[in-house]
Structure formats: structure tokens, C-alpha cells
Amino acid sequence: MLTDTARQPKPGRERRAAERWRQELIGAIRQPEELLRRLDLPESLLAPAEQAARTFPMRVPVPYLARIRPGDPNDPLLRQVLPIGAELETHPGYTADPLAEQGARTGSGVLQKYNGRSLLIATGGCAIHCRYCFRRCFPYNREAGWRTALDQLEQHGAPEEVILSGGDPLLLDDQALGACLERLGRIAAVRRVRIHTRLPVVIPSRVTAALARHLGQIRLQSVIVVHANHPREIDAEVSSALARLRNVCSTVLNQTVLLRGVNDDTATLASLSERLFAADVLPYYLHLLDPVAGAAHFDVDAKTGQRLWAELARSLPGYLVPRLAREEPGAAAKTVITPDAP
Ligand SMILES: *Cc1c(COP(=O)(O)O)cnc(C)c1O
Ligand code: SF4
């Protein structure tokens, strides 16, 4: 719960907090040359990185960079953000639009993909560019924006749950988010708001006091789903950002993408669950990779996924075992994959 002092806006301090995350966002490393230099990595990685970055630009915020182990080309955090030559290969089954979402996009900023939940595309951008993401082919910058999307929900009816998605909805500033949440709160049918975001993990200073206040004040129940793939992504600053969210939200969950060379072993996944729980966050989904062109080198096949999941289920309490799932094009929900009986 918010204390009384936290309830009082402190303009000077709030402005500085807003400036800090904005600076960290703007100051993200975008040149492969600089990334390699700062991490003491071999020059031989430069040419393929520059070539692959032409398709999907590199973007690495400095707070995330600080958690990458220098001098290790195989670091699991580095692997998520460094463009490599393998991205340029083509593989059968890996396409630009693996979820066939382009058809579902009307340009209005609302995606009616799941029953009882509306997905509102709040912004097109992201603070970090994850090399395995299906967004690598569609940065979604053409969506109308949250105001138009809200107009549509107000006029055509809204479901119980509205999901703010993107891009990353926490790229909106606190004022815009506050206004968006307030408008959602006035739509009688809406009971829950859910925010899918990677920002608290990659730029933890984004979880400002003003953001917490907006979330704490609304009538709606709020669910935050963050996205971390490796236990080392959760350092002390991230843990306190997650705790700040936990204080004001109904639930904070995490989703992970199962990625070859990043988290495709039981020990890493178990340690991620433990680290999340220590920050009061529950593991929600463990996604199989969407087969997007340029990400085939991250693929972990479903059989291996099932084996890892079964090992995880044997070593952790049930509430620390995420659901193994994949998205099927056109499906009204995620497909949860049950492990084969041993
Ligand atoms: C899966 C997913 C959803 C909605 O599905 P739930 O099963 O209700 O969690 C919404 N947004 C994103 C980004 C998702 O991956
Ligand atoms: S949508 Fe999520 S996974 Fe994709 S690039 Fe943005 S932050 Fe990364």
C-alpha cells in the first residue's frame, strides 16, 4: 500500500525520475561497434552485426548492458541483443508474419485476438530490440495510437479485460499512461487492465513513483506481465522496481521465451523462477519461439521444451512452474503444451 508521503506528488523529484528513464532510453547503444568495444568483444563480430542490424536495428539500453558479462561472446544476455550473421539465413517455416497478425490489424490500435480481452496497441516502439522477437519484421509504427484505440473501445463496447500491449506500453510517459488508465476506468464494463512490458526489466528506473501512483489509484484491478528470460536479468535494481509494482498492482507475472543458448536448460529456468519469486513475481508462461524469419538459431523444439518443463516440474513447487505454451496463428488463445507422459 502507498504511504501518505508517497501519495503526495513531489514535482522536482518526479521530474528528475522521469528524466532519468528518458535519458536511459535515449542513451541506448545503437551501434554494434560501440557495443563490441564496451564489452571487450572480438572485432570479427562487427561485420555480421552491422549487416544483420540493417534488417532490425540494434538497441541495447545501458542498464541492461551493465548485466552482460564482458569478453564473453556466448553470454546469454548478449545473445538476446547482438545481431549476428545467422539472422540473415532463411529457413523453411520461418516467415515475416508467423502469427498472421497483419490481417487482424485494422490500424485502429485495437486487436481483437483473444475472447473477452481487447489488446490495445499503446505504442509501436520498444526500449530494447530482442533479436528473437516477431516484431523484428513488423515494428508496428503504423498503428493509430492509444487515444484512437480508446475511442473505439468507448464507442463499440469493451470487454472485462483490456490489455495494453505494443511495442512496449510503458514507453508512454506517466501523464499519458495516467490519462489512458483513467479513461479505461470510466468504461463501466472494464474490470481489469493488464500491461505487457519488458521495461521494468531492461530500464528499471521506468517504475517511477508517478507510475506507481497512477496504477494504485485506479478503480480497475491491474495485472503487470513483465518479460525476463534469464536469472541474471534480475539484478537488485530490477528487484526493487518489481517490488514497487507489486505494492500497487493486483498481480505481477512474468513470461519467458524458451531460447537456445539463453535459457534452454533446467538449472537456468529453475533459477529464473526462484529469482522472480524472490521479487514477488510469479512465472506465468514459458513460450516456444514464434517462427519469425531471422530467429531460427534460437529455436528449441517442442520435444526438448516438454522435457525441460517436466524436469522443472520435478524440481520446483507447482506455483514456480510456468505454463509451456505456443501461439498458433488465428487461435483464440495460446496453446498450452502438456508434457508427454514419461
Ligand atoms: C498470451 C498473450 C496475451 C493473452 O493471453 P493470456 O492467455 O490471457 O495471457 C496477451 N498479450 C501477449 C503479449 C501475450 O503473449
Ligand atoms: S515486443 Fe518485447 S520481446 Fe519484442 S522487441 Fe519489444 S521488448 Fe523485445
Side-chain angles (χ1 to χ4, degrees):
M1 281 290 102
L2 286 173
T3 63
D4 281 330
T5 47
R7 237 184 261 275
Q8 316 261 323
K10 296 194 181 59
R13 190 190 294 173
E14 290 202 352
R15 196 171 355 94
R16 280 193 302 280
E19 277 163 13
R20 177 169 167 209
W21 79 262
R22 282 268 157 208
Q23 280 310 316
E24 290 179 339
L25 180 71
I26 295 162
I29 314 290
R30 290 155 198 264
Q31 301 302 330
E33 192 275 331
E34 186 182 356
L35 183 74
L36 298 180
R37 184 165 38 76
R38 289 180 71 150
L39 290 171
D40 213 5
L41 289 166
E43 247 176 70
S44 57
L45 297 172
L46 183 59
E50 285 183 333
Q51 212 189 339
R54 261 175 236 142
T55 332
F56 182 46
M58 189 191 86
R59 186 176 293 182
V60 188
V62 173
Y64 191 83
L65 175 91
R67 294 169 234 158
I68 301 176
R69 226 174 2 230
D72 179 4
N74 298 317
D75 180 86
L77 276 58
L78 178 73
R79 194 167 157 81
Q80 296 177 53
V81 294
L82 174 69
I84 60 170
E87 293 180 22
L88 304 163
E89 295 166 9
T90 55
H91 290 265
Y94 285 77
T95 64
D97 185 14
L99 305 181
E101 277 199 350
Q102 285 312 92
R105 286 180 187 270
T106 57
S108 67
V110 181
L111 199 69
Q112 298 295 355
K113 183 173 158 179
Y114 304 105
N115 293 329
R117 288 148 289 173
S118 278
L119 211 85
L120 197 150
I121 310 296
T123 67
C126 283
I128 186 168
H129 284 177
C130 312
R131 309 310 299 177
Y132 52 83
C133 180
F134 66 92
R135 292 192 74 253
R136 54 176 293 126
C137 293
F138 291 109
Y140 295 146
N141 288 330
R142 282 160 297 151
E143 288 295 335
W146 61 273
R147 285 190 179 81
T148 316
L150 274 172
D151 290 342
Q152 176 155 323
L153 287 183
E154 282 166 351
Q155 284 156 23
H156 301 288
E160 291 203 344
E161 177 165 329
V162 173
I163 303 175
L164 304 188
S165 188
D168 198 313
L170 290 191
L171 279 187
L172 293 180
D173 64 28
D174 290 333
Q175 227 182 344
L177 263 169
C180 176
L181 292 172
E182 210 219 319
R183 265 181 77 181
L184 278 178
R186 284 203 301 263
I187 306 177
V190 179
R191 298 168 62 169
R192 293 187 298 276
V193 61
R194 177 173 5 160
I195 300 179
H196 276 259
T197 173
R198 188 144 157 77
L199 261 161
V201 173
V202 300
I203 303 183
S205 62
R206 174 64 192 94
V207 186
T208 56
L211 172 63
R213 200 172 56 241
H214 288 309
L215 287 166
Q217 275 171 356
I218 44 171
R219 160 186 73 83
L220 309 172
Q221 286 200 294
S222 54
V223 179
I224 306 267
V225 184
V226 296
H227 171 180
N229 300 316
H230 192 279
R232 280 210 346 258
E233 285 176 44
I234 302 163
D235 65 5
E237 267 216 64
V238 173
S239 292
S240 31
L242 294 172
R244 288 198 293 283
L245 287 174
R246 193 60 195 85
N247 278 340
V248 291
C249 295
S250 313
T251 308
V252 184
L253 305 169
N254 180 66
Q255 57 181 358
T256 296
V257 183
L258 184 58
L259 299 164
R260 194 200 304 167
V262 173
N263 56 15
D264 56 338
D265 64 277
T266 318
T268 302
L269 292 170
S271 154
L272 174 60
S273 278
E274 299 276 6
R275 195 76 72 98
L276 287 165
F277 191 66
D280 255 344
V281 175
L282 285 174
Y284 182 33
Y285 280 124
L286 177 61
H287 282 268
L288 294 180
L289 185 77
D290 297 323
V292 63
H297 57 290
F298 284 114
D299 188 56
V300 177
D301 61 63
K303 269 237 135 6
T304 308
Q306 286 167 310
R307 179 179 56 75
L308 291 169
W309 187 91
E311 283 171 18
L312 208 57
R314 273 196 296 273
S315 60
L316 291 175
Y319 57 87
L320 292 188
V321 183
R323 270 161 256 198
L324 182 66
R326 69 146 54 99
E327 294 250 9
E328 310 273 8
K334 267 189 245 294
T335 307
V336 173
I337 301 163
T338 44
D340 290 327

mmCIF file of all heavy atoms in Angstrom, residues 114 117 119 163 165 194 196 255 284-285 287 327 334, ligand 1:
data_model
loop_
_atom_site.group_PDB
_atom_site.id
_atom_site.type_symbol
_atom_site.label_atom_id
_atom_site.label_comp_id
_atom_site.label_asym_id
_atom_site.label_seq_id
_atom_site.Cartn_x
_atom_site.Cartn_y
_atom_site.Cartn_z
ATOM 1 N N TYR A 114 -8.118 -12.234 -28.730
ATOM 2 C CA TYR A 114 -8.494 -13.177 -27.677
ATOM 3 C C TYR A 114 -9.917 -12.890 -27.216
ATOM 4 O O TYR A 114 -10.338 -11.731 -27.171
ATOM 5 C CB TYR A 114 -7.550 -13.015 -26.477
ATOM 6 C CG TYR A 114 -6.092 -13.172 -26.809
ATOM 7 C CD1 TYR A 114 -5.253 -12.070 -26.887
ATOM 8 C CD2 TYR A 114 -5.550 -14.435 -27.041
ATOM 9 C CE1 TYR A 114 -3.910 -12.214 -27.184
ATOM 10 C CE2 TYR A 114 -4.213 -14.587 -27.334
ATOM 11 C CZ TYR A 114 -3.390 -13.481 -27.406
ATOM 12 O OH TYR A 114 -2.066 -13.621 -27.700
ATOM 13 N N ARG A 117 -10.968 -10.313 -24.076
ATOM 14 C CA ARG A 117 -9.854 -9.406 -23.806
ATOM 15 C C ARG A 117 -9.592 -8.600 -25.074
ATOM 16 O O ARG A 117 -9.552 -9.164 -26.159
ATOM 17 C CB ARG A 117 -8.572 -10.196 -23.470
ATOM 18 C CG ARG A 117 -8.586 -10.874 -22.113
ATOM 19 C CD ARG A 117 -7.781 -12.169 -22.137
ATOM 20 N NE ARG A 117 -8.483 -13.185 -22.906
ATOM 21 C CZ ARG A 117 -7.979 -14.371 -23.229
ATOM 22 N NH1 ARG A 117 -6.758 -14.705 -22.854
ATOM 23 N NH2 ARG A 117 -8.683 -15.235 -23.926
ATOM 24 N N LEU A 119 -6.883 -6.192 -26.995
ATOM 25 C CA LEU A 119 -5.475 -5.833 -26.975
ATOM 26 C C LEU A 119 -5.352 -4.444 -27.573
ATOM 27 O O LEU A 119 -5.747 -4.225 -28.712
ATOM 28 C CB LEU A 119 -4.715 -6.841 -27.834
ATOM 29 C CG LEU A 119 -3.298 -7.151 -27.454
ATOM 30 C CD1 LEU A 119 -3.282 -8.244 -26.398
ATOM 31 C CD2 LEU A 119 -2.530 -7.640 -28.671
ATOM 32 N N ILE A 163 -5.974 -5.208 -22.422
ATOM 33 C CA ILE A 163 -4.532 -5.458 -22.335
ATOM 34 C C ILE A 163 -3.805 -4.354 -23.083
ATOM 35 O O ILE A 163 -4.060 -4.131 -24.261
ATOM 36 C CB ILE A 163 -4.192 -6.823 -22.976
ATOM 37 C CG1 ILE A 163 -4.992 -7.947 -22.301
ATOM 38 C CG2 ILE A 163 -2.694 -7.096 -22.880
ATOM 39 C CD1 ILE A 163 -4.814 -9.315 -22.963
ATOM 40 N N SER A 165 -0.670 -3.310 -24.867
ATOM 41 C CA SER A 165 0.441 -4.032 -25.448
ATOM 42 C C SER A 165 1.178 -3.089 -26.388
ATOM 43 O O SER A 165 0.971 -1.884 -26.375
ATOM 44 C CB SER A 165 -0.116 -5.265 -26.163
ATOM 45 O OG SER A 165 0.931 -6.104 -26.588
ATOM 46 N N ARG A 194 -4.469 -4.996 -18.018
ATOM 47 C CA ARG A 194 -3.232 -5.765 -17.970
ATOM 48 C C ARG A 194 -2.189 -5.051 -18.821
ATOM 49 O O ARG A 194 -2.508 -4.545 -19.892
ATOM 50 C CB ARG A 194 -3.484 -7.170 -18.517
ATOM 51 C CG ARG A 194 -2.199 -7.950 -18.536
ATOM 52 C CD ARG A 194 -2.268 -9.400 -18.882
ATOM 53 N NE ARG A 194 -3.479 -10.036 -19.294
ATOM 54 C CZ ARG A 194 -3.468 -11.193 -19.974
ATOM 55 N NH1 ARG A 194 -2.324 -11.777 -20.276
ATOM 56 N NH2 ARG A 194 -4.590 -11.765 -20.328
ATOM 57 N N HIS A 196 1.498 -5.560 -20.622
ATOM 58 C CA HIS A 196 2.614 -6.426 -21.008
ATOM 59 C C HIS A 196 3.813 -5.544 -21.311
ATOM 60 O O HIS A 196 3.771 -4.735 -22.241
ATOM 61 C CB HIS A 196 2.260 -7.243 -22.261
ATOM 62 C CG HIS A 196 1.508 -8.490 -21.949
ATOM 63 N ND1 HIS A 196 2.114 -9.727 -21.910
ATOM 64 C CD2 HIS A 196 0.208 -8.699 -21.641
ATOM 65 C CE1 HIS A 196 1.203 -10.646 -21.601
ATOM 66 N NE2 HIS A 196 0.033 -10.053 -21.432
ATOM 67 N N GLN A 255 6.591 -13.548 -18.216
ATOM 68 C CA GLN A 255 6.657 -14.519 -19.294
ATOM 69 C C GLN A 255 8.063 -14.576 -19.856
ATOM 70 O O GLN A 255 8.793 -13.592 -19.869
ATOM 71 C CB GLN A 255 5.611 -14.283 -20.370
ATOM 72 C CG GLN A 255 5.640 -12.926 -21.006
ATOM 73 C CD GLN A 255 4.534 -12.805 -22.050
ATOM 74 O OE1 GLN A 255 3.796 -13.743 -22.305
ATOM 75 N NE2 GLN A 255 4.427 -11.644 -22.643
ATOM 76 N N TYR A 284 4.643 -17.146 -15.374
ATOM 77 C CA TYR A 284 3.331 -17.358 -15.989
ATOM 78 C C TYR A 284 3.462 -18.258 -17.219
ATOM 79 O O TYR A 284 3.006 -19.390 -17.214
ATOM 80 C CB TYR A 284 2.749 -15.984 -16.337
ATOM 81 C CG TYR A 284 1.365 -15.959 -16.939
ATOM 82 C CD1 TYR A 284 0.394 -16.888 -16.588
ATOM 83 C CD2 TYR A 284 1.019 -14.971 -17.854
ATOM 84 C CE1 TYR A 284 -0.882 -16.826 -17.140
ATOM 85 C CE2 TYR A 284 -0.253 -14.900 -18.410
ATOM 86 C CZ TYR A 284 -1.201 -15.831 -18.052
ATOM 87 O OH TYR A 284 -2.455 -15.749 -18.600
ATOM 88 N N TYR A 285 4.108 -17.754 -18.266
ATOM 89 C CA TYR A 285 4.265 -18.540 -19.489
ATOM 90 C C TYR A 285 5.728 -18.788 -19.802
ATOM 91 O O TYR A 285 6.571 -17.931 -19.566
ATOM 92 C CB TYR A 285 3.668 -17.809 -20.693
ATOM 93 C CG TYR A 285 2.161 -17.913 -20.828
ATOM 94 C CD1 TYR A 285 1.377 -16.771 -20.901
ATOM 95 C CD2 TYR A 285 1.539 -19.156 -20.906
ATOM 96 C CE1 TYR A 285 -0.001 -16.857 -21.050
ATOM 97 C CE2 TYR A 285 0.160 -19.246 -21.056
ATOM 98 C CZ TYR A 285 -0.596 -18.104 -21.122
ATOM 99 O OH TYR A 285 -1.964 -18.189 -21.272
ATOM 100 N N HIS A 287 7.189 -19.556 -23.308
ATOM 101 C CA HIS A 287 6.762 -19.612 -24.704
ATOM 102 C C HIS A 287 7.748 -20.348 -25.565
ATOM 103 O O HIS A 287 8.939 -20.081 -25.480
ATOM 104 C CB HIS A 287 6.726 -18.204 -25.306
ATOM 105 C CG HIS A 287 5.555 -17.411 -24.923
ATOM 106 N ND1 HIS A 287 4.414 -17.397 -25.667
ATOM 107 C CD2 HIS A 287 5.346 -16.607 -23.874
ATOM 108 C CE1 HIS A 287 3.545 -16.597 -25.078
ATOM 109 N NE2 HIS A 287 4.078 -16.112 -23.993
ATOM 110 N N GLU A 327 1.962 -19.889 -29.512
ATOM 111 C CA GLU A 327 0.885 -19.178 -30.212
ATOM 112 C C GLU A 327 0.681 -19.840 -31.559
ATOM 113 O O GLU A 327 1.635 -20.075 -32.288
ATOM 114 C CB GLU A 327 1.287 -17.715 -30.461
ATOM 115 C CG GLU A 327 1.423 -16.916 -29.208
ATOM 116 C CD GLU A 327 0.338 -15.861 -29.024
ATOM 117 O OE1 GLU A 327 -0.644 -15.840 -29.800
ATOM 118 O OE2 GLU A 327 0.475 -15.076 -28.085
ATOM 119 N N LYS A 334 -3.716 -19.008 -26.362
ATOM 120 C CA LYS A 334 -2.460 -19.718 -26.527
ATOM 121 C C LYS A 334 -2.704 -21.218 -26.394
ATOM 122 O O LYS A 334 -3.623 -21.633 -25.706
ATOM 123 C CB LYS A 334 -1.506 -19.288 -25.420
ATOM 124 C CG LYS A 334 -0.630 -18.137 -25.848
ATOM 125 C CD LYS A 334 0.437 -17.900 -24.815
ATOM 126 C CE LYS A 334 0.257 -16.548 -24.179
ATOM 127 N NZ LYS A 334 0.483 -15.459 -25.114
HETATM 128 C C1 LIG B 1 -0.577 -14.589 -24.452
HETATM 129 C C2 LIG B 1 -0.612 -13.170 -24.533
HETATM 130 C C3 LIG B 1 -1.783 -12.452 -24.251
HETATM 131 C C4 LIG B 1 -3.123 -13.032 -23.763
HETATM 132 O O1 LIG B 1 -3.183 -14.317 -23.414
HETATM 133 P P1 LIG B 1 -3.478 -14.879 -21.925
HETATM 134 O O2 LIG B 1 -3.521 -16.345 -22.126
HETATM 135 O O3 LIG B 1 -4.763 -14.279 -21.474
HETATM 136 O O4 LIG B 1 -2.348 -14.446 -21.076
HETATM 137 C C5 LIG B 1 -1.720 -11.084 -24.397
HETATM 138 N N1 LIG B 1 -0.628 -10.446 -24.799
HETATM 139 C C6 LIG B 1 0.518 -11.112 -25.068
HETATM 140 C C7 LIG B 1 1.719 -10.324 -25.473
HETATM 141 C C8 LIG B 1 0.561 -12.482 -24.955
HETATM 142 O O5 LIG B 1 1.722 -13.105 -25.229
#
